[in-house]
Amino acid sequence: MAGKIYEVALKLCGGVDASVGKAFASTKDSMAALSKSVKTLQDTSGQMKSWRNLASGIKDTKNEFSLAKQEMISLKQQLVGLESRNAKLNESFEASKTRVHGAELEYAAATRQMENLKRRLAATDNPTQKLTRAFEMSEARVGSAKLEYDAAAREMEKLKKQLSGAESTTRRTSSAFEKTKKRVFELGNRLRGEKTELQKMTEALDKAGVSTKNFGKEQDRLAEKIGRLDALRGKMQ
């Protein structure tokens, strides 16, 4: 019976450890060799679990990297649009400042003319119709200039608020873009590191005779072999 157990153990341990066959060949009392084989298989099983966890982690990292990259591209497009809009708003704002300045000068000139005519009227007991008419026209000019100035000033303030809001949005978007770009860089490094580590683990498993291409079957085969060796070890004790 014991001979049969050793024969089965040798077959199960084939390819696991070259020293095992020698141990069995040299002595029938091979519990240590059998235990070593079980330990080797258990270590390989642990490596397989680590490989599976890392492979699964790489999928998650790829998804995170893809989403972060998409977000970065979207934010970059938003920034381009915002910067273009800001440039147009700034151009409009500068033009409105020029209009306000011009309207202010016109209002000041009209006011000075009206005040001058007003003083002349006050200094004349019997003003001529021409002087009176000139004063009335100057008053109308002042009123018109005031309306133009007020309208230009309101438009300038409106554009100023729009520009301020747009610049604030641009700063927030730019900050989000930089954070996302940094995350894409970090995830890219992490993904490359994980792929390198997975390659090393794949090569180590290949050397142990485990194909990661048929991972599920290999895992089942290894678990079955460990179970049978454990059972044999129990019978040999």
Side-chain angles (χ1 to χ4, degrees), residues 42-59:
Q42 288 174 336
D43 289 344
T44 301
S45 179
Q47 289 178 337
M48 290 180 72
K49 289 178 181 177
S50 296
W51 185 94
R52 182 187 59 194
N53 291 336
L54 182 56
S56 177
I58 286 176
K59 288 182 180 179

Side-chain angles (χ1 to χ4, degrees), residues 40-151:
T40 299
L41 290 173
Q42 288 174 336
D43 289 344
T44 301
S45 179
Q47 289 178 337
M48 290 180 72
K49 289 178 181 177
S50 296
W51 185 94
R52 182 187 59 194
N53 291 336
L54 182 56
S56 177
I58 286 176
K59 288 182 180 179
D60 292 338
T61 302
K62 279 183 177 179
N63 289 334
E64 287 185 60
F65 177 77
S66 178
L67 289 173
K69 192 172 182 179
Q70 289 175 16
E71 183 181 1
M72 182 183 72
I73 292 171
S74 175
L75 287 167
K76 180 61 176 178
Q77 291 173 341
Q78 290 178 46
L79 271 178
V80 171
L82 286 168
E83 287 169 355
S84 175
R85 181 193 174 199
N86 289 358
K88 291 178 181 178
L89 276 174
N90 190 64
E91 184 179 343
S92 297
F93 175 68
E94 291 300 324
S96 74
K97 283 171 65 176
T98 300
R99 287 194 297 272
V100 167
H101 181 64
E104 186 177 26
L105 292 176
E106 170 61 19
Y107 177 58
T111 300
R112 285 195 300 271
Q113 183 187 44
M114 184 188 70
E115 291 298 327
N116 181 47
L117 290 169
K118 186 177 180 179
R119 285 193 296 271
R120 287 175 61 186
L121 280 171
T124 304
D125 293 332
N126 189 22
T128 64
Q129 185 178 2
K130 183 178 180 180
L131 183 59
T132 302
R133 180 60 180 160
F135 175 73
E136 291 173 351
M137 289 178 66
S138 70
E139 279 188 316
R141 181 188 172 193
V142 168
S144 177
K146 181 67 165 61
L147 289 175
E148 288 185 22
Y149 172 77
D150 289 344

Side-chain angles (χ1 to χ4, degrees), residues 44-53 55 205 210-222:
T44 301
S45 179
Q47 289 178 337
M48 290 180 72
K49 289 178 181 177
S50 296
W51 185 94
R52 182 187 59 194
N53 291 336
L205 286 171
V210 177
S211 172
T212 55
K213 293 181 179 179
N214 299 306
F215 188 83
K217 290 182 179 179
E218 289 290 309
Q219 198 170 34
D220 292 341
R221 179 180 67 80
L222 199 63

